[in-house]
Amino acid sequence: MIRIEKLHKSYPIGKDSLHVLKGIDLHIKEGEFVSIMGSSGSGKSTLLNIVGLLDIHDEGDYYLNGQLIKDLNEKKAAILRNKFLGFVFQSFNLISYKTALENVALPLYYKGMNRKERLKVAMDYLDKVGLKDWASHLPSELSGGQKQRVAIARALVTNPKVVLADEPTGALDTTTTDSVMDLLKDINDEGMTVFVITHEEEVAEQTKRIVRLRDGVIISDTLTKAAKAL
């Protein structure tokens, strides 16, 4: 599903450059539930941005669903993102003046689906995350956990191949974190590939595989107790 070989990424800083990813090799199969761990500056967010087609790499190869990702313009990248990827962010990234239902339906607008159909599909996904009764509420009327559930419904509504979650529990308390992780587990159990960036051990242990980054290289790649228990 995701295959990365000898991936490098640097950013210019004045006359110098910061080498963030230093020859990463990573293979994530369809249906895996993987967490990427590392301290601030380890390269995990850069890796997520490259996998999510939000940034480009300097060297190496990246294959998404068997397709070599190379020389994409923004239009082509947007088409691939819409087709294969769903995003969940720590800050939720909901549109404040749109209801929960309208937020979930938004990706379907970009797919060209008519209003009646996209609202119907969006409602189905809100129901799936347990928020059907909150469909007409604005984000300001929702708790942090509810906002993240809306964001997850929005990520799922296009039926992507991969859900990319960037610190999805970073703004949540422990109880809400567990409920969001249970939701991601359910999604994974249905066969979807889930890719989580986190700095929280408790969150990573609920995934099935932990890849640890330090200073732009992978220092370990292990199965969790959750995976071994299967």
Tab-separated table of all heavy atoms in Angstrom, residues 35-88:
chain	number	residue	atom	x	y	z
A	35	SER	N	1.798	2.926	13.968
A	35	SER	CA	2.081	4.227	14.575
A	35	SER	C	3.541	4.580	14.319
A	35	SER	O	4.418	3.718	14.336
A	35	SER	CB	1.781	4.224	16.072
A	35	SER	OG	2.451	3.175	16.728
A	36	ILE	N	3.766	5.868	14.062
A	36	ILE	CA	5.109	6.411	13.890
A	36	ILE	C	5.398	7.257	15.117
A	36	ILE	O	4.683	8.212	15.405
A	36	ILE	CB	5.225	7.276	12.620
A	36	ILE	CG1	4.714	6.515	11.382
A	36	ILE	CG2	6.659	7.754	12.425
A	36	ILE	CD1	5.555	5.352	10.945
A	37	MET	N	6.448	6.882	15.850
A	37	MET	CA	6.792	7.586	17.094
A	37	MET	C	8.141	8.274	16.969
A	37	MET	O	9.002	7.857	16.196
A	37	MET	CB	6.840	6.611	18.267
A	37	MET	CG	5.491	6.098	18.711
A	37	MET	SD	5.582	5.529	20.419
A	37	MET	CE	5.676	7.097	21.298
A	38	GLY	N	8.295	9.328	17.740
A	38	GLY	CA	9.572	10.031	17.770
A	38	GLY	C	9.390	11.360	18.471
A	38	GLY	O	8.292	11.909	18.503
A	39	SER	N	10.468	11.865	19.016
A	39	SER	CA	10.405	13.157	19.693
A	39	SER	C	10.288	14.274	18.659
A	39	SER	O	10.408	14.036	17.447
A	39	SER	CB	11.654	13.360	20.547
A	39	SER	OG	12.805	13.304	19.729
A	40	SER	N	10.058	15.478	19.124
A	40	SER	CA	9.997	16.628	18.233
A	40	SER	C	11.309	16.744	17.470
A	40	SER	O	12.389	16.648	18.052
A	40	SER	CB	9.751	17.889	19.062
A	40	SER	OG	9.702	19.022	18.239
A	41	GLY	N	11.219	16.903	16.148
A	41	GLY	CA	12.420	17.012	15.323
A	41	GLY	C	12.935	15.694	14.793
A	41	GLY	O	13.948	15.645	14.083
A	42	SER	N	12.233	14.587	15.107
A	42	SER	CA	12.698	13.271	14.647
A	42	SER	C	12.397	13.023	13.171
A	42	SER	O	12.984	12.135	12.548
A	42	SER	CB	12.051	12.161	15.490
A	42	SER	OG	10.639	12.185	15.332
A	43	GLY	N	11.454	13.789	12.614
A	43	GLY	CA	11.112	13.629	11.204
A	43	GLY	C	9.750	13.014	10.962
A	43	GLY	O	9.342	12.820	9.820
A	44	LYS	N	9.000	12.717	12.046
A	44	LYS	CA	7.742	11.995	11.857
A	44	LYS	C	6.688	12.818	11.109
A	44	LYS	O	5.964	12.281	10.261
A	44	LYS	CB	7.200	11.468	13.188
A	44	LYS	CG	6.884	12.485	14.256
A	44	LYS	CD	6.498	11.796	15.562
A	44	LYS	CE	5.968	12.773	16.596
A	44	LYS	NZ	6.961	13.786	17.007
A	45	SER	N	6.588	14.112	11.400
A	45	SER	CA	5.600	14.943	10.704
A	45	SER	C	5.987	15.148	9.243
A	45	SER	O	5.131	15.169	8.353
A	45	SER	CB	5.449	16.295	11.403
A	45	SER	OG	4.862	16.124	12.677
A	46	THR	N	7.281	15.275	8.992
A	46	THR	CA	7.763	15.377	7.599
A	46	THR	C	7.408	14.117	6.832
A	46	THR	O	6.951	14.183	5.684
A	46	THR	CB	9.289	15.609	7.579
A	46	THR	OG1	9.589	16.829	8.254
A	46	THR	CG2	9.812	15.679	6.155
A	47	LEU	N	7.601	12.966	7.464
A	47	LEU	CA	7.255	11.699	6.825
A	47	LEU	C	5.762	11.645	6.502
A	47	LEU	O	5.367	11.258	5.393
A	47	LEU	CB	7.654	10.530	7.730
A	47	LEU	CG	7.344	9.131	7.212
A	47	LEU	CD1	8.068	8.853	5.901
A	47	LEU	CD2	7.713	8.075	8.262
A	48	LEU	N	4.939	12.046	7.464
A	48	LEU	CA	3.492	12.051	7.236
A	48	LEU	C	3.121	12.982	6.077
A	48	LEU	O	2.296	12.633	5.239
A	48	LEU	CB	2.750	12.485	8.493
A	48	LEU	CG	1.235	12.539	8.291
A	48	LEU	CD1	0.568	11.320	8.901
A	48	LEU	CD2	0.615	13.783	8.881
A	49	ASN	N	3.736	14.150	6.024
A	49	ASN	CA	3.423	15.101	4.955
A	49	ASN	C	3.799	14.555	3.583
A	49	ASN	O	3.095	14.800	2.596
A	49	ASN	CB	4.136	16.434	5.208
A	49	ASN	CG	3.509	17.220	6.334
A	49	ASN	OD1	2.361	16.998	6.699
A	49	ASN	ND2	4.270	18.132	6.920
A	50	ILE	N	4.901	13.802	3.525
A	50	ILE	CA	5.296	13.207	2.243
A	50	ILE	C	4.347	12.073	1.868
A	50	ILE	O	3.878	11.985	0.730
A	50	ILE	CB	6.766	12.725	2.313
A	50	ILE	CG1	7.690	13.945	2.379
A	50	ILE	CG2	7.107	11.850	1.108
A	50	ILE	CD1	9.144	13.605	2.671
A	51	VAL	N	4.034	11.214	2.832
A	51	VAL	CA	3.079	10.127	2.573
A	51	VAL	C	1.717	10.699	2.164
A	51	VAL	O	1.044	10.164	1.279
A	51	VAL	CB	2.940	9.224	3.820
A	51	VAL	CG1	1.782	8.245	3.664
A	51	VAL	CG2	4.236	8.461	4.071
A	52	GLY	N	1.327	11.825	2.782
A	52	GLY	CA	0.038	12.450	2.500
A	52	GLY	C	0.023	13.345	1.278
A	52	GLY	O	-0.979	14.019	1.001
A	53	LEU	N	1.153	13.374	0.538
A	53	LEU	CA	1.264	14.186	-0.687
A	53	LEU	C	1.077	15.670	-0.412
A	53	LEU	O	0.598	16.424	-1.256
A	53	LEU	CB	0.253	13.715	-1.754
A	53	LEU	CG	0.269	12.221	-2.083
A	53	LEU	CD1	-0.800	11.876	-3.102
A	53	LEU	CD2	1.640	11.801	-2.589
A	54	LEU	N	1.466	16.079	0.804
A	54	LEU	CA	1.432	17.491	1.168
A	54	LEU	C	2.812	18.123	1.018
A	54	LEU	O	2.955	19.339	1.094
A	54	LEU	CB	0.960	17.646	2.624
A	54	LEU	CG	-0.449	17.106	2.926
A	54	LEU	CD1	-0.691	17.080	4.418
A	54	LEU	CD2	-1.501	17.940	2.218
A	55	ASP	N	3.832	17.278	0.816
A	55	ASP	CA	5.199	17.735	0.623
A	55	ASP	C	5.881	16.737	-0.310
A	55	ASP	O	5.388	15.618	-0.512
A	55	ASP	CB	5.921	17.796	1.980
A	55	ASP	CG	7.164	18.691	1.958
A	55	ASP	OD1	7.525	19.182	0.864
A	55	ASP	OD2	7.761	18.904	3.030
A	56	ILE	N	7.004	17.134	-0.890
A	56	ILE	CA	7.729	16.242	-1.803
A	56	ILE	C	9.086	15.888	-1.209
A	56	ILE	O	9.674	16.657	-0.456
A	56	ILE	CB	7.903	16.881	-3.197
A	56	ILE	CG1	8.596	18.253	-3.085
A	56	ILE	CG2	6.557	17.007	-3.907
A	56	ILE	CD1	8.940	18.869	-4.425
A	57	HIS	N	9.562	14.693	-1.553
A	57	HIS	CA	10.867	14.249	-1.067
A	57	HIS	C	11.961	14.679	-2.047
A	57	HIS	O	11.680	15.028	-3.192
A	57	HIS	CB	10.873	12.738	-0.852
A	57	HIS	CG	10.435	11.936	-2.035
A	57	HIS	ND1	9.114	11.838	-2.419
A	57	HIS	CD2	11.146	11.204	-2.947
A	57	HIS	CE1	9.023	11.067	-3.495
A	57	HIS	NE2	10.238	10.680	-3.832
A	58	ASP	N	13.203	14.633	-1.568
A	58	ASP	CA	14.346	15.037	-2.399
A	58	ASP	C	14.941	13.861	-3.160
A	58	ASP	O	15.267	13.975	-4.340
A	58	ASP	CB	15.446	15.655	-1.517
A	58	ASP	CG	14.962	16.886	-0.771
A	58	ASP	OD1	14.112	17.610	-1.320
A	58	ASP	OD2	15.431	17.122	0.363
A	59	GLU	N	15.088	12.761	-2.456
A	59	GLU	CA	15.690	11.563	-3.061
A	59	GLU	C	14.931	10.339	-2.593
A	59	GLU	O	14.245	10.372	-1.577
A	59	GLU	CB	17.157	11.413	-2.632
A	59	GLU	CG	18.100	12.492	-3.088
A	59	GLU	CD	19.495	12.265	-2.518
A	59	GLU	OE1	19.946	11.095	-2.484
A	59	GLU	OE2	20.118	13.243	-2.088
A	60	GLY	N	15.103	9.234	-3.342
A	60	GLY	CA	14.450	7.985	-2.993
A	60	GLY	C	13.141	7.814	-3.730
A	60	GLY	O	12.778	8.639	-4.575
A	61	ASP	N	12.441	6.725	-3.420
A	61	ASP	CA	11.189	6.403	-4.109
A	61	ASP	C	10.045	6.248	-3.117
A	61	ASP	O	10.233	5.712	-2.020
A	61	ASP	CB	11.327	5.095	-4.898
A	61	ASP	CG	12.306	5.226	-6.056
A	61	ASP	OD1	12.287	6.280	-6.731
A	61	ASP	OD2	13.095	4.287	-6.264
A	62	TYR	N	8.878	6.711	-3.532
A	62	TYR	CA	7.655	6.548	-2.747
A	62	TYR	C	6.575	6.000	-3.670
A	62	TYR	O	6.263	6.606	-4.706
A	62	TYR	CB	7.230	7.889	-2.141
A	62	TYR	CG	5.834	7.905	-1.532
A	62	TYR	CD1	5.275	6.761	-0.950
A	62	TYR	CD2	5.067	9.069	-1.523
A	62	TYR	CE1	4.006	6.774	-0.404
A	62	TYR	CE2	3.800	9.097	-0.968
A	62	TYR	CZ	3.266	7.953	-0.418
A	62	TYR	OH	2.004	7.953	0.121
A	63	TYR	N	6.034	4.840	-3.294
A	63	TYR	CA	4.944	4.214	-4.054
A	63	TYR	C	3.687	4.225	-3.196
A	63	TYR	O	3.706	3.783	-2.045
A	63	TYR	CB	5.290	2.764	-4.404
A	63	TYR	CG	6.464	2.610	-5.343
A	63	TYR	CD1	7.761	2.550	-4.829
A	63	TYR	CD2	6.292	2.509	-6.725
A	63	TYR	CE1	8.856	2.401	-5.670
A	63	TYR	CE2	7.383	2.356	-7.570
A	63	TYR	CZ	8.658	2.304	-7.037
A	63	TYR	OH	9.735	2.160	-7.875
A	64	LEU	N	2.594	4.714	-3.757
A	64	LEU	CA	1.296	4.694	-3.099
A	64	LEU	C	0.362	3.837	-3.929
A	64	LEU	O	0.103	4.139	-5.099
A	64	LEU	CB	0.736	6.113	-2.974
A	64	LEU	CG	-0.676	6.241	-2.397
A	64	LEU	CD1	-0.737	5.702	-0.962
A	64	LEU	CD2	-1.152	7.696	-2.439
A	65	ASN	N	-0.123	2.742	-3.331
A	65	ASN	CA	-1.007	1.812	-4.039
A	65	ASN	C	-0.370	1.344	-5.359
A	65	ASN	O	-1.039	1.209	-6.378
A	65	ASN	CB	-2.360	2.471	-4.308
A	65	ASN	CG	-3.462	1.450	-4.558
A	65	ASN	OD1	-3.565	0.455	-3.849
A	65	ASN	ND2	-4.268	1.676	-5.582
A	66	GLY	N	0.949	1.130	-5.328
A	66	GLY	CA	1.659	0.638	-6.503
A	66	GLY	C	2.093	1.715	-7.488
A	66	GLY	O	2.798	1.416	-8.462
A	67	GLN	N	1.701	2.954	-7.262
A	67	GLN	CA	2.046	4.042	-8.182
A	67	GLN	C	3.237	4.827	-7.659
A	67	GLN	O	3.254	5.265	-6.510
A	67	GLN	CB	0.860	4.988	-8.368
A	67	GLN	CG	1.154	6.185	-9.264
A	67	GLN	CD	-0.055	7.067	-9.488
A	67	GLN	OE1	-1.201	6.658	-9.254
A	67	GLN	NE2	0.174	8.282	-9.939
A	68	LEU	N	4.252	4.993	-8.509
A	68	LEU	CA	5.411	5.796	-8.133
A	68	LEU	C	5.002	7.265	-8.063
A	68	LEU	O	4.449	7.816	-9.021
A	68	LEU	CB	6.534	5.616	-9.159
A	68	LEU	CG	7.805	6.444	-8.915
A	68	LEU	CD1	8.478	6.046	-7.602
A	68	LEU	CD2	8.779	6.281	-10.084
A	69	ILE	N	5.254	7.878	-6.906
A	69	ILE	CA	4.895	9.284	-6.714
A	69	ILE	C	6.097	10.142	-7.092
A	69	ILE	O	7.112	10.171	-6.395
A	69	ILE	CB	4.489	9.551	-5.243
A	69	ILE	CG1	3.319	8.642	-4.836
A	69	ILE	CG2	4.142	11.020	-5.050
A	69	ILE	CD1	2.062	8.791	-5.657
A	70	LYS	N	5.971	10.810	-8.230
A	70	LYS	CA	7.102	11.579	-8.736
A	70	LYS	C	6.590	12.703	-9.637
A	70	LYS	O	5.684	12.498	-10.453
A	70	LYS	CB	8.037	10.657	-9.535
A	70	LYS	CG	9.372	11.271	-9.895
A	70	LYS	CD	10.237	10.228	-10.576
A	70	LYS	CE	11.605	10.808	-10.906
A	70	LYS	NZ	12.459	9.809	-11.595
A	71	ASP	N	7.163	13.873	-9.477
A	71	ASP	CA	6.857	15.026	-10.345
A	71	ASP	C	5.360	15.314	-10.434
A	71	ASP	O	4.830	15.576	-11.523
A	71	ASP	CB	7.415	14.798	-11.763
A	71	ASP	CG	8.928	14.610	-11.762
A	71	ASP	OD1	9.581	15.198	-10.884
A	71	ASP	OD2	9.439	13.862	-12.616
A	72	LEU	N	4.681	15.266	-9.301
A	72	LEU	CA	3.246	15.563	-9.297
A	72	LEU	C	3.045	17.068	-9.190
A	72	LEU	O	3.648	17.716	-8.339
A	72	LEU	CB	2.555	14.909	-8.097
A	72	LEU	CG	2.437	13.393	-8.040
A	72	LEU	CD1	1.626	13.014	-6.808
A	72	LEU	CD2	1.793	12.828	-9.288
A	73	ASN	N	2.159	17.621	-10.028
A	73	ASN	CA	1.744	19.001	-9.777
A	73	ASN	C	0.638	18.972	-8.723
A	73	ASN	O	0.149	17.910	-8.342
A	73	ASN	CB	1.302	19.710	-11.067
A	73	ASN	CG	0.125	19.005	-11.755
A	73	ASN	OD1	-0.744	18.439	-11.091
A	73	ASN	ND2	0.097	19.042	-13.070
A	74	GLU	N	0.231	20.140	-8.233
A	74	GLU	CA	-0.729	20.185	-7.133
A	74	GLU	C	-2.067	19.572	-7.522
A	74	GLU	O	-2.723	18.914	-6.719
A	74	GLU	CB	-0.913	21.625	-6.647
A	74	GLU	CG	-1.916	21.780	-5.502
A	74	GLU	CD	-1.719	20.812	-4.345
A	74	GLU	OE1	-0.562	20.528	-3.985
A	74	GLU	OE2	-2.725	20.319	-3.799
A	75	LYS	N	-2.468	19.746	-8.771
A	75	LYS	CA	-3.747	19.194	-9.224
A	75	LYS	C	-3.734	17.666	-9.163
A	75	LYS	O	-4.671	17.038	-8.658
A	75	LYS	CB	-4.056	19.670	-10.643
A	75	LYS	CG	-5.427	19.224	-11.135
A	75	LYS	CD	-5.738	19.788	-12.516
A	75	LYS	CE	-7.127	19.334	-12.993
A	75	LYS	NZ	-7.434	19.845	-14.355
A	76	LYS	N	-2.647	17.063	-9.665
A	76	LYS	CA	-2.542	15.595	-9.640
A	76	LYS	C	-2.439	15.081	-8.206
A	76	LYS	O	-3.021	14.053	-7.857
A	76	LYS	CB	-1.323	15.149	-10.445
A	76	LYS	CG	-1.483	15.283	-11.953
A	76	LYS	CD	-0.234	14.802	-12.674
A	76	LYS	CE	-0.391	14.944	-14.183
A	76	LYS	NZ	0.876	14.562	-14.882
A	77	ALA	N	-1.685	15.821	-7.367
A	77	ALA	CA	-1.554	15.423	-5.965
A	77	ALA	C	-2.914	15.470	-5.271
A	77	ALA	O	-3.265	14.567	-4.504
A	77	ALA	CB	-0.559	16.336	-5.248
A	78	ALA	N	-3.701	16.503	-5.565
A	78	ALA	CA	-5.030	16.656	-4.955
A	78	ALA	C	-5.952	15.511	-5.376
A	78	ALA	O	-6.725	14.991	-4.566
A	78	ALA	CB	-5.636	17.993	-5.343
A	79	ILE	N	-5.869	15.111	-6.637
A	79	ILE	CA	-6.702	14.004	-7.138
A	79	ILE	C	-6.349	12.710	-6.398
A	79	ILE	O	-7.232	11.958	-5.957
A	79	ILE	CB	-6.529	13.832	-8.663
A	79	ILE	CG1	-7.186	15.015	-9.396
A	79	ILE	CG2	-7.125	12.505	-9.136
A	79	ILE	CD1	-6.845	15.086	-10.873
A	80	LEU	N	-5.041	12.445	-6.240
A	80	LEU	CA	-4.608	11.233	-5.541
A	80	LEU	C	-4.979	11.272	-4.065
A	80	LEU	O	-5.406	10.263	-3.501
A	80	LEU	CB	-3.098	11.040	-5.695
A	80	LEU	CG	-2.612	10.542	-7.059
A	80	LEU	CD1	-1.096	10.496	-7.094
A	80	LEU	CD2	-3.178	9.168	-7.376
A	81	ARG	N	-4.829	12.447	-3.444
A	81	ARG	CA	-5.230	12.583	-2.031
A	81	ARG	C	-6.711	12.265	-1.869
A	81	ARG	O	-7.112	11.545	-0.948
A	81	ARG	CB	-4.946	14.006	-1.529
A	81	ARG	CG	-3.526	14.263	-1.094
A	81	ARG	CD	-3.392	15.514	-0.248
A	81	ARG	NE	-3.787	16.709	-0.957
A	81	ARG	CZ	-2.973	17.482	-1.660
A	81	ARG	NH1	-1.694	17.188	-1.753
A	81	ARG	NH2	-3.424	18.565	-2.260
A	82	ASN	N	-7.515	12.821	-2.747
A	82	ASN	CA	-8.965	12.635	-2.655
A	82	ASN	C	-9.370	11.189	-2.904
A	82	ASN	O	-10.358	10.698	-2.356
A	82	ASN	CB	-9.665	13.564	-3.655
A	82	ASN	CG	-10.970	14.109	-3.102
A	82	ASN	OD1	-11.233	14.023	-1.906
A	82	ASN	ND2	-11.798	14.651	-3.966
A	83	LYS	N	-8.582	10.504	-3.707
A	83	LYS	CA	-8.904	9.115	-4.077
A	83	LYS	C	-8.444	8.106	-3.027
A	83	LYS	O	-9.150	7.136	-2.738
A	83	LYS	CB	-8.250	8.794	-5.425
A	83	LYS	CG	-8.599	7.426	-5.983
A	83	LYS	CD	-7.989	7.244	-7.361
A	83	LYS	CE	-8.363	5.888	-7.967
A	83	LYS	NZ	-7.745	5.699	-9.291
A	84	PHE	N	-7.270	8.346	-2.442
A	84	PHE	CA	-6.652	7.313	-1.611
A	84	PHE	C	-6.551	7.646	-0.123
A	84	PHE	O	-6.422	6.740	0.694
A	84	PHE	CB	-5.235	7.010	-2.115
A	84	PHE	CG	-5.199	6.307	-3.434
A	84	PHE	CD1	-4.666	6.943	-4.549
A	84	PHE	CD2	-5.681	5.018	-3.579
A	84	PHE	CE1	-4.628	6.302	-5.775
A	84	PHE	CE2	-5.652	4.364	-4.800
A	84	PHE	CZ	-5.116	5.013	-5.899
A	85	LEU	N	-6.570	8.944	0.237
A	85	LEU	CA	-6.179	9.331	1.587
A	85	LEU	C	-7.268	10.075	2.341
A	85	LEU	O	-7.999	10.883	1.766
A	85	LEU	CB	-4.924	10.219	1.528
A	85	LEU	CG	-3.720	9.647	0.770
A	85	LEU	CD1	-2.644	10.712	0.624
A	85	LEU	CD2	-3.172	8.414	1.477
A	86	GLY	N	-7.360	9.802	3.636
A	86	GLY	CA	-8.210	10.569	4.526
A	86	GLY	C	-7.341	11.097	5.656
A	86	GLY	O	-6.455	10.384	6.141
A	87	PHE	N	-7.554	12.349	6.073
A	87	PHE	CA	-6.695	12.992	7.068
A	87	PHE	C	-7.450	13.300	8.356
A	87	PHE	O	-8.580	13.765	8.319
A	87	PHE	CB	-6.138	14.314	6.515
A	87	PHE	CG	-5.170	14.142	5.380
A	87	PHE	CD1	-5.613	14.092	4.070
A	87	PHE	CD2	-3.803	14.037	5.614
A	87	PHE	CE1	-4.721	13.934	3.009
A	87	PHE	CE2	-2.909	13.882	4.572
A	87	PHE	CZ	-3.364	13.833	3.277
A	88	VAL	N	-6.769	13.059	9.491
A	88	VAL	CA	-7.280	13.444	10.803
A	88	VAL	C	-6.151	14.209	11.497
A	88	VAL	O	-5.025	13.711	11.588
A	88	VAL	CB	-7.672	12.219	11.651
A	88	VAL	CG1	-8.206	12.663	13.003
A	88	VAL	CG2	-8.703	11.363	10.927
